[in-house]
Amino acid sequence: MKHPHRVVLLAGPSGSGKSYIAQQTGLPVLCLDDFYKDGDDPTLPQRNGQVDWESPESWDATTAVETIARLAREGRADVPVYAIGADRRVATRPFDVAGSPLFVAEGIFAAEIVDECRRLGLLAGAYALRRPRGATFLRRLARDLSEQRKAPRVLVRRGVALLRAEPAVLRRQTGLGAEAARAREVLRRVAGLLAGHPHG
């Protein structure tokens, strides 16, 4: 089935600059982090007695794909607003692709839905943002501290763990079908997709 709109999925390690690069494309941007499960969801994965928010099982892939499919068909949908500090969805908001043939859906778990979006004919491209690990660590820590996402000591401990895990994260994302690319390459590829689109 031919959809009037298609999605560019942008994955990458936490803090790698996905949101910034997504905005730089000039396309409408759907934040996939808003599809995390609520903190009291009984299906949340656990590790060492704590919720494992780094696991894809902490994220609602089914609703994310349903929302992307609705945007591809209709150009608009109501999307959740998630408060990370509260570990829950706190509202919904309207999202409109504003007539653009492409839109970006970005988030750490974006690669988890590459196959399904491709199968449904929704996918225009999928990329995993690759950055120097040290820069990603500092960017992530600065962001999380400024947004007061968690207590500072929790954020530092989490940041070090994510720094060590980053190569494995990228391997998983590329294994799921996202192409590893630096920021400049992502922007160039998206521009190429737009140029080749009959409505672009």
Side-chain angles (χ1 to χ4, degrees), residues 8-11 17-31 103-107 129 131 183 186-187 190:
V8 176
L9 294 173
L10 182 58
K18 295 180 294 298
S19 300
Y20 175 75
I21 296 304
Q23 295 292 342
Q24 292 295 106
T25 67
L27 297 173
V29 178
L30 178 67
C31 177
F103 62 99
V104 178
E106 62 86 13
L129 191 58
R131 297 261 197 169
V186 170
L187 294 174
V190 171

Side-chain angles (χ1 to χ4, degrees), residues 49-68:
Q50 302 285 327
V51 173
D52 183 5
W53 294 108
E54 311 308 324
S55 167
E57 297 300 315
S58 68
W59 185 69
D60 188 352
T62 300
T63 302
V65 171
E66 288 172 352
T67 302
I68 288 170

